[in-house]
Amino acid sequence: MAVFTEVPADEARKLLRQLRLGELTDLRGIAGGIENTNYFVTVRPDDAPDDGATVDYVLTLFERLTAEQLPFYLYLMQHLAARGIPVPDPAPDRAGNVLHRLCGKPAAVVNRLAGRSQLAPEAAHCAALGDMLARMHLAGRDFARHQPNLRGLAWWNETAPVVLPHLDPDQAELLRAELAYQNHVAALPAYAALPRGPVHADLFRDNAMFDGTTLTGFFDFYFAGVDSFLFDIGVCLNDWCIDHPTGALLPDRADALLAAYAAVRPLEAAERTLLPAMLRAAALRFWISRLWDFHLPREAALLTPHDPTHFERVLRRRVASAAAPAAAVALPA
């Protein structure tokens, strides 16, 4: 999240009225992230009591995603919310449309989730995440729309040649070797057998909210797509269950996440076989995207690119641990 497009208060006020959400009382740009323009929006509903009660929303202007791509994300969130998964629910206009336009950009307004991000998770947080991740995967299986993971293998193959000139020889060798390995994995029968459906694909610590150890919601679905559920698990393990300075998996957290997930949706044989490969795939995906954002940045009023060396460390750890996560994590039976 960042601010690429400055939104005048009058323009935001007009959209909020069209959505019948109430009167704008505050508009604040959100720093962090790298894809879209985001604002916290506070409104006073038209039917608010005299005590001045307000409601908070998040206004997003989409800087890269197109009006053709966006319905998948927005209607997926609506679908999941209707099935009891705690995710932001996009506000519709009178015709039921959840994709709007503001300042010449596609836009959406969603409710702001309660709680706060847990940036130093413990095993209990990881267990809550695993449980809800499995429930989210099951809830999305009957979602009618289909869109691939736009930051999947095809994008890695396209983007690697763009970032390679910015790498030193050791980094370039790692990138080429891992990309070749992931193309090999994608051709395996076991990979084709992986259960698939809509996945979040970016469920980092700062994209979930907690009240204590109670998970209050997932947000930022704008990298979602149809992919293997195992890839989603790998993304979560690589962020929630690691020692950040070294990238090493922490068994207590990883075990808690996997056990809670499997209690809701048991892992299939192909998933148990390919979990180490998907941990590597998840690390590669974010190393490539962070290299791209770091070396080919866009201007923004509030923008701090992520350090790409973090996921280089994570990837090197996963490659070096040929038996990972079996050597460090007890896979659920």
Side-chain angles (χ1 to χ4, degrees), residues 121-131 210 240-241 252-254 256-258 260:
E122 299 176 354
H125 301 104
C126 295
L129 178 83
D131 173 271
F210 283 85
W240 290 79
C241 305
D252 60 333
R253 294 192 206 167
L257 191 156
L258 286 168

Side-chain angles (χ1 to χ4, degrees), residues 12-259:
R13 184 174 291 111
K14 181 179 177 181
L15 175 60
L16 295 170
R17 287 173 178 165
Q18 291 173 351
L19 301 181
R20 298 162 294 166
L21 295 178
E23 184 63 27
L24 176 70
T25 64
D26 192 29
L27 181 68
R28 307 183 308 283
I30 304 175
I34 51 180
E35 290 296 320
N36 302 311
T37 289
N38 289 272
Y39 284 85
F40 287 133
V41 176
T42 302
V43 304
R44 182 176 181 180
D46 294 335
D47 58 354
D50 294 336
D51 62 6
T54 59
V55 179
D56 292 329
Y57 295 90
V58 176
L59 165 66
T60 299
L61 278 68
F62 301 98
E63 304 289 347
R64 284 180 169 172
L65 295 168
T66 68
E68 290 72 31
Q69 296 165 339
L70 283 164
F72 176 88
Y73 309 111
L74 297 173
Y75 287 107
L76 174 60
M77 292 157 63
Q78 185 182 68
H79 176 94
L80 295 173
R83 283 153 179 77
I85 307 301
V87 302
D89 195 359
D93 60 18
R94 293 181 184 274
N97 301 309
V98 295
L99 179 59
H100 316 297
R101 198 158 188 85
L102 186 65
C103 299
K105 303 286 179 67
V109 177
V110 302
N111 56 299
R112 185 176 177 181
L113 298 173
R116 63 179 183 177
S117 295
Q118 178 51 258
L119 302 182
E122 299 176 354
H125 301 104
C126 295
L129 178 83
D131 173 271
M132 192 58 68
L133 181 66
R135 296 183 190 282
M136 185 187 77
H137 288 165
L138 294 176
R141 289 187 302 180
D142 63 344
F143 183 55
R145 294 173 183 263
H146 186 282
Q147 184 167 281
N149 177 2
L150 299 179
R151 291 290 180 92
L153 181 61
W155 186 82
W156 311 342
N157 285 324
E158 293 171 1
T159 307
V162 178
V163 300
L164 273 170
H166 301 280
L167 307 185
D168 66 34
D170 286 344
Q171 292 172 321
E173 180 180 359
L174 174 64
L175 179 55
R176 291 191 183 99
E178 188 60 27
L179 195 57
Y181 172 73
Q182 292 299 333
N183 278 282
H184 165 74
V185 169
L188 296 175
Y191 182 83
L194 292 175
R196 298 173 183 275
V199 300
H200 187 286
D202 190 35
L203 192 46
F204 280 36
R205 304 175 188 196
D206 55 356
N207 286 336
M209 303 292 273
F210 283 85
D211 180 3
T213 57
T214 300
L215 191 150
T216 57
F218 299 154
F219 63 99
D220 199 358
F221 275 76
Y222 304 117
F223 284 114
V226 174
D227 205 330
S228 71
F229 296 144
L230 192 64
F231 178 78
D232 227 11
I233 295 171
V235 170
C236 292
L237 287 168
N238 276 345
D239 184 65
W240 290 79
C241 305
I242 66 169
D243 174 59
H244 262 245
T246 66
L249 278 169
L250 298 175
D252 60 333
R253 294 192 206 167
D255 291 348
L257 191 156
L258 286 168

Side-chain angles (χ1 to χ4, degrees), residues 271-328:
E271 293 176 297
R272 295 168 61 81
T273 298
L274 287 182
L275 182 51
M278 288 302 99
L279 283 167
R280 291 169 61 169
L284 177 65
R285 176 265 189 260
F286 286 99
W287 185 36
I288 292 176
S289 64
R290 289 189 177 188
L291 285 168
W292 187 46
D293 289 320
F294 187 83
H295 292 293
L296 300 160
R298 294 176 297 152
E299 293 184 1
L302 296 170
L303 175 60
T304 303
H306 293 297
D307 177 12
T309 60
H310 169 68
F311 272 105
E312 179 186 350
R313 285 194 299 273
V314 174
L315 177 58
R316 289 187 185 277
R317 274 276 183 170
R318 302 299 171 266
V319 173
S321 301

